[in-house]
Every structure is written in structure tokens, then in C-alpha cells.
Amino acid sequence: MIKEGGDGLPQAKRKYQLRIPSQTDNLELIREFVSKVARKVGFKDDDVSKIELAVDEACANVIEHAYQKDDKQPIDIVIQIDYRKFTVIITDRGRGFNPKKIKTPDMKEYLAQMRVGGLGIYLMRTLMDEIDFDVKPGKRNQVRMSKYFLDKTSHHADRKEMAS
């Protein structure tokens, strides 16, 4: 499907979907699904690994916190691709949380205390270019994470050059 975007440039969109039970042994299938699509659209191994880890963390959080290990609940993973970015949308219908209450960890303190776990959202924010949460507990919780094909700043710089 090719559409014209709001900026007047042609926009090719593709969409891939996976619905899978919320079982920890399905995390490998989710990682494989996401990494194969990321490679197919041209990401190099380093970025594929970042996307894969961010999605793994998000889905592990759904299993652990949203569904509290109820392995009969579904996790929906949708990948949307346009000419600028690769977006992964993970949806569940479990318990929600307030993403504004999740603080950025002090890594020196974290490492000094030899803590384990609790870095999922920090990792997702670090590994992806954009991340957004839409939380409606019991109805629909969604995390949307994007990775740009080009550096966002270079994209805007190109636009400025074209405009002048």
C-alpha cells in the first residue's frame, strides 16, 4: 500500500501482526518475529538487537506485571513500517501502571546495590528512539516504540536544507 503522507512525500506502509499467549516461553518466538521483520526492512544487527531487547522487555513486563503470569491472556504485537520509522505496538488487557511514576534509575546506585531487575522501561527508553504509553487498566494498555531508519536529527536537517 502506498499513500501520500501529510508532508507530500510518498509513504509506503506495511503492517505485521502477531497474537500470542502470555507465556514466558513465547518470548523467543516474539523476539524472532520482531528481529526477522527488522532485518527484512534493512536494519543492521546492532539496531535489530536493540529493537529485539526493547520488545522482549515490554512483553516480559506484560507477562509479569499486567497479567501476573496468567498465561492464558493474549499479547498483541503489531509492527508498522513507513518510509521513516519502524514502530512496534504491544497491547494487553491486564493491570496497568502509571508510566509517569517510573523514575529514571541512578545507575551508579543501582550497580552499587547489585540490584536485579527493574530496568525494563529504562532499557526500552534507551534502546528505542521514541516510546509512548497509553494505559487503560483492564481495558487496553499499549506501549508504542519506534526506531527511525535515519537519525531523527539528520532527517530534520535534510528537510531544512531542502526548504532553503
Side-chain angles (χ1 to χ4, degrees), residues 27-92:
L27 289 173
E28 183 179 347
L29 292 173
I30 294 168
R31 288 191 303 269
E32 191 172 326
F33 166 67
V34 170
S35 64
K36 282 191 174 182
V37 175
R39 275 195 182 85
K40 180 178 179 173
V41 298
F43 280 107
K44 296 195 171 152
D45 288 345
D46 185 47
D47 281 333
V48 170
S49 296
K50 290 177 182 176
I51 294 167
E52 190 180 304
L53 181 56
V55 171
D56 185 82
E57 286 292 335
C59 291
N61 283 345
V62 168
I63 293 168
E64 176 81 24
H65 303 293
Y67 289 139
Q68 299 180 312
K69 299 184 180 178
D70 178 354
D71 62 5
K72 293 176 184 66
Q73 300 299 318
I75 301 175
D76 292 305
I77 298 115
V78 174
I79 300 171
Q80 294 177 338
I81 301 160
D82 65 30
Y83 76 101
R84 293 183 316 141
K85 63 185 176 181
F86 181 96
T87 302
V88 182
I89 304 162
I90 299 163
T91 306
D92 70 76

Side-chain angles (χ1 to χ4, degrees), residues 125-137:
R125 286 188 170 130
T126 303
L127 298 168
M128 301 297 283
D129 294 328
E130 289 177 355
I131 183 166
D132 184 50
F133 295 94
D134 183 15
V135 179
K136 296 174 183 144

Side-chain angles (χ1 to χ4, degrees), residues 87-138:
T87 302
V88 182
I89 304 162
I90 299 163
T91 306
D92 70 76
R93 286 164 184 72
R95 289 179 37 182
F97 69 102
N98 184 347
K100 292 177 183 171
K101 288 189 173 180
I102 307 293
K103 295 179 181 172
T104 302
D106 179 337
M107 290 309 294
K108 283 185 180 177
E109 184 179 312
Y110 183 90
L111 294 170
Q113 294 175 352
M114 299 177 70
R115 293 177 52 193
V116 177
L119 294 177
I121 292 176
Y122 170 76
L123 283 173
M124 290 187 283
R125 286 188 170 130
T126 303
L127 298 168
M128 301 297 283
D129 294 328
E130 289 177 355
I131 183 166
D132 184 50
F133 295 94
D134 183 15
V135 179
K136 296 174 183 144

